[in-house]
């Protein structure tokens, strides 16, 4: 682990061309292995001009087809390698619940897990965390009973192999927000990790009740889109910054937040492309589909795997790291609003705009067709007609189109299978 940290410490400062060159060399080995050992790729390689083993250029790489979740599901076992090279360890199943409704069963190795942990440790080092401090996580973890927190010695396997870390505690994210807040107050965390939607709900609860977390130094988030509103709420409520991570269970860490800025640096071990509608690479400032390849997963190679997320590529970072920059992560295609004229955008709904209307506690919007949107609301009492009108007006402004807004009332709005929360979902199929 120390040797890898030393390498990562060096490689982050390499010029971008050199990072790319190292990635293509590793990709070349992955392709040769996939062609020889993975039936799905043996077949693909026969039909592309890319010859495994020959020197790989970016241009050749881009001739390889994009792999979708649906293809991964259909391909099933034909994506698994018959044999692994020495040193990759044993094969482990990775469970992904798939928030887009297409669950994927992925497999990794001891080596992919090792790189996952190395990235976790790099994140701690980048953000100069105090390893003796208390680390608290509120997340989805099968071993945790909702409402029952657990305490553990040490922060977990990524750190504990190298150094003695402080006490950590964990609570299931399905615990209701008031109980989470009470538990957190007792825990006195220095670092708090959770999903962005849960952090927003907690911050609003702390603001409403006037409670505080005086020991807190940093909020860490993952798993959902980390919006500007959450960062602002954390500063206002607890006076702390937010550090976000961009990862997926299938491929591991894709990007970590820069130590000096709110944008992200792509990680060397996962080759990430951001592609426009034509399948060409985006330039800085352009938003496109995120396509990833874990360069170390030889058990179930996912080559040019389309995650379903969209992101905006950024300019090189002033911090001096050569790792490419993702300026923003936008979410999934189903979080895109479709206007009747075919234009699409990611709507945002800062809670400070709608939470002051009546007693709204939670809201989720679902676009069923091109003319109407359902606003699902959790409120202590139904809104008055004037409040409903006010809400419609705010939403129509946010959507940028006079949609018909159908307000429906709910006791709670559950999280999806992966326990992620989406405040806007479009059910209109993309044309
Ligand atoms: Zn940077």
């Amino acid at each position: 682990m120390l040797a890898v940290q030393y390498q990562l410490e060096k490689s982050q400062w390499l010029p971008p061309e050199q990072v790319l060159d190292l990635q293509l060399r590793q990709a070349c080995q992955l392709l040769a292995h996939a062609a020889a050992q993975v039936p799905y790729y043996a077949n693909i390689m026969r039909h592309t001009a890319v010859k495994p083993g020959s020197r790989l250029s970016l241009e050749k790489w881009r001739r390889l087809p994009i792999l979708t979740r649906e293809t991964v599901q259909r391909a099933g076992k034909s994506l698994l390698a018959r044999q692994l090279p020495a040193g990759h360890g044993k094969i482990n199943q990775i469970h992904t619940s798939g928030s887009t409704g297409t669950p994927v069963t992925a497999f990794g190795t001891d080596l992919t897990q090792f790189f996952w942990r190395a990235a976790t440790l790099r994140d701690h080092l980048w953000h100069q965390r105090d390893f003796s401090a208390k680390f608290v996580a509120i997340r989805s973890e099968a071993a945790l009973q909702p409402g029952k927190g657990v305490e553990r010695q040490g922060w977990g396997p990524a750190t504990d192999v190298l150094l003695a870390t402080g006490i950590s505690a964990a609570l299931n994210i399905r615990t209701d927000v008031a109980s989470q807040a009470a538990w957190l107050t007792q825990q006195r965390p220095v670092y708090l990790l959770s999903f962005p939607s849960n952090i927003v709900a907690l911050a609003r609860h702390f603001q409403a009740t006037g409670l505080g977390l005086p020991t807190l130094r940093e909020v860490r988030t993952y798993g959902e889109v980390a919006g500007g509103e959450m960062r602002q709420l954390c500063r206002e409520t607890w006076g702390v910054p937010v550090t976000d991570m961009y990862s997926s269970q299938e491929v591991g860490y894709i990007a970590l937040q820069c130590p000096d800025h709110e944008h992200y640096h792509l990680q060397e071990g996962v080759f990430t492309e951001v592609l426009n509608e034509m399948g060409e690479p985006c330039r800085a400032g352009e938003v496109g589909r995120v396509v990833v390849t874990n360069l170390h997963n030889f058990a179930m190679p996912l080559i040019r795997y389309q995650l379903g997320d969209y992101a905006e590529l950024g300019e090189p970072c002033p911090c001096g790291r050569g790792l490419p920059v993702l300026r923003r992560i936008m979410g999934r295609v189903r979080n895109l609003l479709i206007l009747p004229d075919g234009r699409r955008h990611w709507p945002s709904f800062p809670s400070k705009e709608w939470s002051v209307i009546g007693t709204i506690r939670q809201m989720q919007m679902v676009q069923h067709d091109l003319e109407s949107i359902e606003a699902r609301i959790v409120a202590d009492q139904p809104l008055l007609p004037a409040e409903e009108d006010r809400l419609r007006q705010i939403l129509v402004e946010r959507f940028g189109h006079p949609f018909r807004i159908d307000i429906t009332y709910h006791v709670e709005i559950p999280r999806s299978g992966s326990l992620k929360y989406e405040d806007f979902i479009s059910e209109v199929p993309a044309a």
Side-chain angles (χ1 to χ4, degrees):
M1 185 58 89
L2 265 179
V4 168
Q5 286 305 324
Y6 178 70
Q7 275 184 10
L8 289 175
E9 170 52 34
K10 279 206 311 195
S11 62
Q12 64 184 325
W13 303 107
L14 294 175
E17 314 79 60
Q18 222 170 320
V19 175
L20 178 65
D21 187 56
L22 288 171
Q23 286 179 319
L24 285 175
R25 272 194 238 175
Q26 179 67 24
C28 188
Q29 287 185 28
L30 179 66
L31 280 185
H33 164 79
Q37 297 293 344
V38 181
Y40 175 83
Y41 283 109
N43 189 37
I44 294 271
M45 299 298 184
R46 268 199 291 277
H47 297 97
T48 56
V50 183
K51 290 283 156 281
S54 64
R55 199 177 147 71
L56 189 64
S57 65
L58 201 50
E59 194 246 322
K60 275 191 199 165
W61 173 259
R62 288 186 187 135
R63 284 188 223 152
L64 294 165
I66 301 289
L67 185 66
T68 63
R69 265 169 201 270
E70 290 72 23
T71 311
V72 173
Q73 266 189 324
R74 268 204 311 275
K77 289 208 163 81
S78 72
L79 270 165
L80 295 181
R82 283 183 289 254
Q83 276 188 340
L84 287 181
H88 285 248
K90 58 178 190 313
I91 295 179
N92 313 304
Q93 187 174 335
I94 307 163
H95 301 275
T96 79
S97 27
S99 56
T100 50
T102 315
V104 158
T105 306
F107 291 86
T109 59
D110 290 346
L111 189 71
T112 57
Q113 193 178 55
F114 175 79
F115 278 105
W116 179 291
R117 289 174 180 175
T120 306
L121 187 53
R122 172 190 251 179
D123 188 65
H124 292 324
L125 295 172
W126 273 12
H127 298 279
Q128 300 183 356
R129 298 194 181 109
D130 170 3
F131 289 108
S132 67
K134 182 145 194 185
F135 167 65
V136 164
I138 300 180
R139 60 182 162 206
S140 65
E141 198 179 309
L144 297 171
Q145 293 281 326
K148 279 193 189 151
V150 295
E151 284 208 3
R152 296 165 180 146
Q153 190 60 50
W155 286 9
T159 42
D160 298 351
V161 290
L162 271 190
L163 32 91
T165 45
I167 293 170
S168 66
L171 183 68
N172 192 309
I173 196 163
R174 279 182 292 175
T175 309
D176 70 272
V177 172
S179 307
Q180 285 185 32
W183 180 79
L184 275 176
T185 310
Q186 278 176 356
Q187 285 294 329
R188 303 176 56 81
V190 173
Y191 302 111
L192 169 62
L193 174 79
S194 198
F195 285 164
S197 61
N198 194 52
I199 294 294
V200 168
L202 277 169
R204 290 179 55 213
H205 181 87
F206 273 82
Q207 285 197 347
T209 55
L211 291 169
L213 289 175
T215 51
L216 192 66
R217 265 185 247 166
E218 182 190 4
V219 166
R220 300 172 57 206
T221 54
Y222 72 107
E224 301 166 341
V225 174
E229 187 199 11
M230 175 189 63
R231 293 182 186 274
Q232 199 189 329
L233 267 174
C234 287
R235 274 191 295 268
E236 283 170 14
T237 315
W238 300 305
V240 300
V242 174
T243 306
D244 188 42
M245 294 164 272
Y246 181 30
S247 63
S248 97
Q249 284 170 305
E250 301 97 300
V251 298
Y253 285 100
I254 299 160
L256 297 176
Q257 189 175 314
C258 175
D260 307 331
H261 299 89
E262 282 182 0
H263 56 224
Y264 306 78
H265 282 291
L266 292 175
Q267 299 295 293
E268 303 91 320
V270 175
F271 184 44
T272 301
E273 302 167 81
V274 182
L275 305 176
N276 67 20
E277 303 264 303
M278 313 291 293
E280 287 153 4
C282 288
R283 284 186 298 258
E286 260 186 289
V287 172
R289 284 178 292 160
V290 179
V291 169
V292 292
T293 307
N294 180 332
L295 297 172
H296 300 288
N297 189 345
F298 281 47
M300 181 173 173
L302 299 178
I303 294 170
R304 304 197 84 205
Y305 177 54
Q306 183 177 313
L307 277 175
D309 292 336
Y310 281 71
E312 180 186 329
L313 218 55
E315 300 282 353
C317 184
C319 76
R321 288 175 179 80
L323 303 173
V325 169
L326 279 190
R327 206 162 83 80
R328 287 184 300 165
I329 296 146
M330 322 293 299
R332 298 191 167 261
V333 68
R334 75 172 192 157
N335 306 130
L336 256 178
L337 172 76
I338 306 184
L339 297 171
D341 65 4
R343 282 180 300 142
R344 303 191 289 171
H345 69 86
W346 277 271
S348 78
F349 309 96
S351 63
K352 67 171 189 286
E353 283 190 11
W354 52 261
S355 61
V356 291
I357 301 175
T359 55
I360 304 180
R361 286 194 285 119
Q362 200 185 1
M363 186 163 66
Q364 182 180 55
M365 263 86 37
V366 182
Q367 179 178 26
H368 295 292
D369 54 55
L370 287 175
E371 295 301 334
S372 71
I373 285 167
E374 179 189 359
R376 297 175 176 165
I377 285 174
V378 178
D380 296 336
Q381 305 144 32
L383 303 184
L384 301 169
E387 291 168 338
E388 287 199 349
D389 287 345
R390 175 82 195 111
L391 179 64
R392 287 196 178 93
Q393 193 190 336
I394 289 174
L395 293 179
V396 160
E397 264 169 43
R398 283 269 154 193
F399 287 127
H401 178 80
F403 286 104
R404 192 184 78 233
I405 309 283
D406 302 318
I407 298 175
T408 60
Y409 291 90
H410 302 260
V411 177
E412 65 166 340
I413 298 168
R415 291 168 177 274
S416 67
S418 57
L419 297 181
K420 293 183 183 182
Y421 188 78
E422 293 159 294
D423 61 6
F424 178 83
I425 298 166
S426 178
E427 291 180 345
V428 181

